[in-house]
Amino acid sequence: MDKNSRRIDQLRAIALDCGFGNEDAKDFGKLSKTATWEAMLETYGIPFPPDNVDSVDSVDTGESD
């Protein structure tokens, strides 16, 4: 499972826990898009983790090996 699938599943779970469903999310875009779920949660002021939590180790520090 890739990072985007995990993230969208996480966002969907947050939305469902708050009482929202697919019909609510459709107003914000395609159900298969992470941005749809983020937009819905943001609109209603529901906090969700930032997108970069899994990519901390991929930050380029400018140092060479």
Side-chain angles (χ1 to χ4, degrees):
M1 190 180 291
D2 66 29
K3 178 183 169 189
N4 288 336
S5 292
R6 288 187 304 243
R7 177 151 175 79
I8 197 168
D9 291 340
Q10 184 180 34
L11 296 172
R12 281 182 179 155
I14 293 168
L16 291 175
D17 286 346
C18 292
F20 295 102
N22 288 345
E23 289 302 314
D24 301 302
K26 283 181 182 178
D27 292 337
F28 296 90
K30 291 184 176 185
L31 297 178
S32 61
K33 300 289 186 180
T34 302
T36 298
W37 295 92
E38 288 176 337
M40 184 180 74
L41 294 174
E42 238 174 49
T43 297
Y44 292 106
I46 301 167
F48 57 91
D51 187 21
N52 61 356
V53 291
D54 290 334
S55 59
V56 172
D57 60 348
S58 65
V59 174
D60 183 9
T61 61
E63 298 176 13
S64 60
D65 292 332

